[in-house]
Amino acid sequence: MYKVLLVDDERMILEGISSVVDWHGSGTELVGTARNGLEAYERIAEKRPDIVISDISMPGLDGIGLVAKTYEQFPDVRFIMLSGYKDFDYARRAMQYGVKHYLVKPCNEQQIQEAIAELLSERAAEQERELFVSSMRDQFTRMLPQVKEQFLKEFISNKMYGSRDLAYYEGLFHMQLTERTVRIVLMRVEESHEYEHLFALKNIAEDVVEGVLMGTTIQLQDELLLLIDDPADTARLIKELNEVKDVFGSFYKLDVTVALSEPDALEQLRRMYRDAQQVMNHRFYIGGGSLMTRQDIALHDCRMGSGFELDEEQFTLIIKSGQVEQVETEIGRLFATLSELRLDMAVTRSYVLQLYAVMLRLYPEEERSLPTAQLAELSQLDTLTGLHDFIRHAAIELTGSYYKSNINRQSSVVNKMLQIIEENYTNAELSLNGVANQMLYMNPDYLGKIFKKVTGDNFSHYVNRYRIERATEHIRRSGDVKVFELAELFGFGGNSQYFSQVFKKVTGMTPTEYRRG
């Protein structure tokens, strides 16, 4: 039942309307009456009626004043105004507060009930509209995460997206997108795992990493992609990403490989994604479970040609990462497609030549003469099998050269680390973090992995073994020497006990036993 308050300064009218109107039949309940505007406002605050039927002319606070005051505090209250002919134009001032219903005195109970029925009908329609809007808003709120995921997938794959599209999605997401500096984080769960693990990883990352804007799973690459605000403190971000790896690993006993892009404007998201893919592909050399950035890896800049750009980009990424098996698989897929299409031989050859042109651009300029000369041989082949074998052989050879180049770059970095060890092994403060952050300016996690890959030992064990080898040479040359002096000379900071423990672990003897022997 809707609650009604009746207001009029004439007692007879007040009593008459109260008694003659069938309130219950109108779906209402008369909860009170008032003789003036001030008294009516007190009743409104007390009873919270849905409808107020009020005279326009009253002492103290007239009907217009009552409407205005009520509208400020109780905007949902609806009014039916009673007025004489002379006050009717004045009463229309209440329209600015949403008053639509006016009755000219004298009026009968039927007119009042019709006005109430019309007002309640409007109120029901209004509530229905509000319910519909609220329902649509709730549905959109529930769908918003999926909309953001789809937006992210389309933006990294559709080169036609631009600033105009960003402006549209800014309004949709209520989020600044233009002129915003962001990074891409790619995450891949290593070893055999369920697809649901990516969703668990996404939830952990969104809890731990500050500034996550949106994320999505890339089923084709079996990866998680996160879009994050570029933090002022990159070291903090690296720490948070390592924490994500640790938390996920503690729950699921699986390693996670992380690739972090360089910061750039969100409009450059597609290029950033390609760069992050290149970084991720280097897991092939150092194994899974690493956190890698562009600074950790020397990437060659390659400007792609026109044509089937997406296919060319993917093919280029695989070759540059040195993954021979994947190159063979991709070439097999391309030629299987050409075989199924049964195109004219000249058209098929044009696609193969375009693919070979992509490969030519990947050769260093000084090495392009031989593969360029082989174009003549390629143009003479007249079977799809012959074209397939030619491209496969050339791609395997090119991919192998990239593999060797990448391995050589890693070996070069490790050689620098070995040189640093030789020059600084007497320094007790020598550490992997110090070498990474203060000398080579590389990520410690990545640096440690390639060091172990090349040397077969972790950094600290290698340093201690090297120190003991230098100590044994010193003992053989000098003869009688104190253990604490050896600990001081060879990077153990004077800690003779720890020096003795490491010495015995490496040589199988204590320093004293070694000196006597």
Side-chain angles (χ1 to χ4, degrees):
M1 299 289 282
Y2 291 93
K3 296 184 291 185
V4 178
L5 178 70
L6 183 60
V7 186
D8 199 300
D9 62 337
E10 297 184 34
R11 183 175 57 82
M12 291 182 63
I13 293 178
L14 201 62
E15 293 176 353
I17 295 177
S18 299
S19 60
V20 301
V21 173
D22 182 5
W23 303 106
H24 184 79
S26 301
T28 60
E29 173 191 4
L30 184 63
V31 296
T33 61
R35 297 288 299 276
N36 57 62
L38 295 175
E39 183 182 345
Y41 185 77
E42 293 177 358
R43 295 286 189 276
I44 291 171
E46 176 188 356
K47 302 291 186 180
R48 300 293 177 88
D50 300 291
I51 301 171
V52 175
I53 302 174
S54 175
D55 188 15
I56 195 74
S57 299
M58 296 182 293
L61 182 67
D62 65 10
I64 300 298
L66 175 61
V67 170
K69 190 171 183 180
T70 302
Y71 183 79
E72 291 178 359
Q73 297 298 322
F74 310 104
D76 292 334
V77 175
R78 297 294 179 264
F79 278 81
I80 297 174
M81 304 303 296
L82 303 176
S83 67
Y85 281 108
K86 64 178 182 178
D87 298 323
F88 190 69
D89 290 337
Y90 171 69
R92 290 185 180 275
R93 289 176 52 190
M95 292 180 65
Q96 63 182 302
Y97 302 106
V99 178
K100 301 178 182 178
H101 300 276
Y102 305 89
L103 294 176
V104 179
K105 293 180 180 181
C107 56
N108 57 39
E109 65 272 17
Q110 182 178 352
Q111 292 174 308
I112 294 174
Q113 288 182 186
E114 287 176 353
I116 291 174
E118 186 178 345
L119 191 150
L120 291 181
S121 177
E122 292 173 359
R123 187 178 181 91
E126 184 178 310
Q127 290 175 338
E128 186 176 349
R129 285 194 300 272
E130 290 175 353
L131 184 62
F132 174 77
V133 171
S134 177
S135 174
M136 293 298 294
R137 187 180 294 112
D138 290 343
Q139 289 184 41
F140 178 75
T141 300
R142 288 194 297 270
M143 291 172 56
L144 192 57
Q146 287 77 23
V147 175
K148 287 183 177 179
E149 286 197 22
Q150 190 62 31
F151 160 77
L152 197 53
K153 287 178 182 178
E154 291 185 2
F155 203 96
I156 63 174
S157 62
N158 187 345
K159 66 179 182 179
M160 300 304 292
Y161 270 33
S163 57
R164 182 176 299 179
D165 302 283
L166 287 182
Y168 167 75
Y169 282 104
E170 277 186 331
L172 187 65
F173 298 153
H174 301 290
M175 174 190 299
Q176 180 191 349
L177 296 176
T178 54
E179 299 182 1
R180 187 169 196 155
T181 304
V182 296
R183 285 180 184 249
I184 280 181
V185 177
L186 279 184
M187 294 186 173
R188 178 178 295 181
V189 179
E190 301 296 339
E191 304 170 5
S192 177
H193 64 278
E194 302 295 330
Y195 188 65
E196 288 74 12
H197 283 125
L198 289 177
F199 292 97
L201 181 61
K202 181 173 181 286
N203 290 333
I204 293 172
E206 288 175 343
D207 286 340
V208 173
V209 179
E210 185 176 338
V212 175
L213 300 175
M214 58 187 78
T216 187
T217 53
I218 310 295
Q219 293 191 38
L220 185 61
Q221 283 80 29
D222 199 20
E223 292 173 343
L224 168 66
L225 184 152
L226 296 177
L227 180 67
I228 64 172
D229 271 321
D230 178 41
D233 185 1
T234 303
R236 190 208 73 215
L237 174 59
I238 298 294
K239 181 179 179 181
E240 290 173 346
L241 292 174
N242 278 316
E243 184 180 347
V244 172
K245 292 172 56 193
D246 293 342
V247 172
F248 182 83
S250 67
F251 276 109
Y252 299 101
K253 311 305 178 188
L254 293 169
D255 286 332
V256 176
T257 301
V258 181
L260 178 63
S261 79
E262 288 296 285
D264 208 331
L266 201 144
E267 289 86 344
Q268 301 299 319
L269 197 61
R270 188 165 175 267
R271 182 193 57 75
M272 293 166 63
Y273 176 60
R274 293 201 305 270
D275 288 349
Q277 283 182 306
Q278 286 184 299
V279 174
M280 177 61 77
N281 280 331
H282 279 73
R283 61 186 285 279
F284 180 76
Y285 306 103
I286 64 175
S290 303
L291 193 160
M292 301 170 291
T293 66
R294 190 182 178 96
Q295 284 79 15
D296 298 327
I297 302 160
L299 296 176
H300 295 291
D301 181 28
C302 176
R303 297 188 178 276
M304 304 308 301
S306 59
F308 295 92
E309 185 177 350
L310 289 177
D311 291 340
E312 290 181 4
E313 289 176 359
Q314 183 64 23
F315 190 64
T316 298
L317 282 173
I318 299 172
I319 289 179
K320 292 176 69 175
S321 65
Q323 302 180 53
V324 175
E325 291 183 1
Q326 288 196 27
V327 166
E328 288 188 272
T329 300
E330 179 64 11
I331 289 174
R333 185 189 68 79
L334 290 171
F335 277 87
T337 301
L338 289 174
S339 178
E340 291 174 2
L341 292 174
R342 292 289 192 269
L343 300 171
D344 181 85
M345 194 62 198
V347 176
T348 298
R349 183 179 285 109
S350 71
Y351 288 138
V352 175
L353 289 172
Q354 186 176 10
L355 188 60
Y356 192 63
V358 174
M359 294 165 55
L360 283 177
R361 289 196 292 271
L362 297 180
Y363 280 96
E365 187 172 352
E366 64 275 10
E367 296 178 13
R368 288 180 185 169
S369 58
L370 179 59
T372 301
Q374 290 175 334
L375 271 169
E377 178 183 347
L378 178 62
S379 63
Q380 296 301 314
L381 298 173
D382 58 359
T383 66
L384 190 61
T385 301
L387 293 170
H388 185 183
D389 291 340
F390 182 95
I391 293 295
R392 176 179 171 276
H393 180 269
I396 289 174
E397 184 176 278
L398 178 60
T399 305
S401 68
Y402 267 93
Y403 177 85
K404 292 178 182 178
S405 176
N406 289 327
I407 293 299
N408 289 338
R409 282 199 298 273
Q410 291 183 4
S411 298
S412 175
V413 171
V414 172
N415 286 337
K416 290 181 182 178
M417 296 174 71
L418 295 177
Q419 182 180 352
I420 290 171
I421 292 172
E422 291 177 7
E423 295 172 355
N424 298 274
Y425 71 90
T426 59
N427 181 2
E429 300 299 323
L430 180 64
S431 67
L432 177 62
N433 282 336
V435 172
N437 297 325
Q438 300 171 20
M439 299 181 181
L440 296 181
Y441 306 102
M442 297 177 69
N443 183 278
D445 180 58
Y446 172 78
L447 205 57
K449 285 186 177 294
I450 65 171
F451 185 89
K452 186 168 185 178
K453 180 178 178 65
V454 174
T455 66
D457 204 355
N458 67 42
F459 184 86
S460 60
H461 290 169
Y462 184 95
V463 170
N464 280 342
R465 189 172 68 252
Y466 186 88
R467 286 167 169 166
I468 297 304
E469 289 173 357
R470 301 288 80 77
T472 58
E473 293 174 2
H474 185 77
I475 292 172
R476 289 196 297 271
R477 290 195 309 268
S478 304
D480 189 15
V481 62
K482 300 280 191 298
V483 174
F484 76 87
E485 294 176 345
L486 292 170
E488 183 67 32
L489 285 171
F490 294 99
F492 290 83
N495 189 337
S496 56
Q497 182 179 1
Y498 180 53
F499 170 78
S500 297
Q501 291 174 352
V502 176
F503 192 99
K504 185 171 183 179
K505 186 175 181 179
V506 173
T507 66
M509 295 178 286
T510 66
T512 303
E513 291 170 344
Y514 187 90
R515 188 170 57 238
R516 290 173 181 170

